[in-house]
Amino acid sequence: MSTRSGAALRWRPEDEAWDPTPFLQGDRTGHGRGLIFDIESNDLFPGLTAFWCTAAVDIDTGEAFYWGVDLSAGSLADCIEFRGQASLLLAHNGTGYDHRAIEKLYPGWCRPAKSRDTQVIAKVA
């Protein structure tokens, strides 16, 4: 690691402006996509009351998507709709947390028929 005046250099988020524009969905949809995703929230069960942000990557195209409270009030609701349109969802501990969290905060959401949990796959393999 590089040093300056004997101190290790560290990345600090406040040192750079983050531009989420490349990750905004615009008019793109989740129809037919295979998505790897993760959710960040304020707590685990049973205390979960809100999502902070979530991201996904299309496994076929490599496109990255981001939704968060820092973008707009409706950003996370847009995410839930986008994910509901996917043909495949992959998440680590998706069965134990992510899918249950979405279902708790968005009760009308139905996960796609093809939902896989990489934590379960890793234990079985």
Side-chain angles (χ1 to χ4, degrees):
M1 179 177 279
S2 301
T3 61
R4 178 178 23 174
S5 304
L9 296 178
R10 294 187 165 212
W11 175 78
R12 298 178 336 154
E14 60 271 14
D15 290 343
E16 61 183 67
W18 182 67
D19 179 12
T21 307
F23 305 104
L24 300 178
Q25 288 58 256
D27 58 359
R28 296 182 288 178
T29 70
H31 287 289
R33 292 182 186 268
L35 300 172
I36 298 172
F37 77 95
D38 191 28
I39 292 171
E40 300 303 327
S41 64
N42 67 335
D43 205 348
L44 300 174
F45 290 104
L48 171 72
T49 60
F51 292 140
W52 290 325
C53 64
T54 180
V57 174
D58 185 310
I59 61 175
D60 295 316
T61 67
E63 288 176 276
F65 304 95
Y66 172 84
W67 300 267
V69 294
D70 55 334
L71 297 180
S72 72
S75 178
L76 292 169
D78 292 344
C79 163
I80 302 307
E81 180 180 349
F82 189 90
R83 287 219 179 105
Q85 298 167 348
S87 61
L88 170 66
L89 289 180
L90 297 164
H92 193 74
N93 197 23
T95 303
Y97 182 75
D98 298 80
H99 296 307
R100 290 177 50 218
I102 294 171
E103 290 163 351
K104 177 179 179 179
L105 298 181
Y106 297 89
W109 184 73
C110 295
R111 70 179 86 166
K114 288 177 112 178
S115 296
R116 305 291 184 261
D117 187 326
T118 59
Q119 184 177 30
V120 173
I121 293 168
K123 287 179 180 179
V124 175

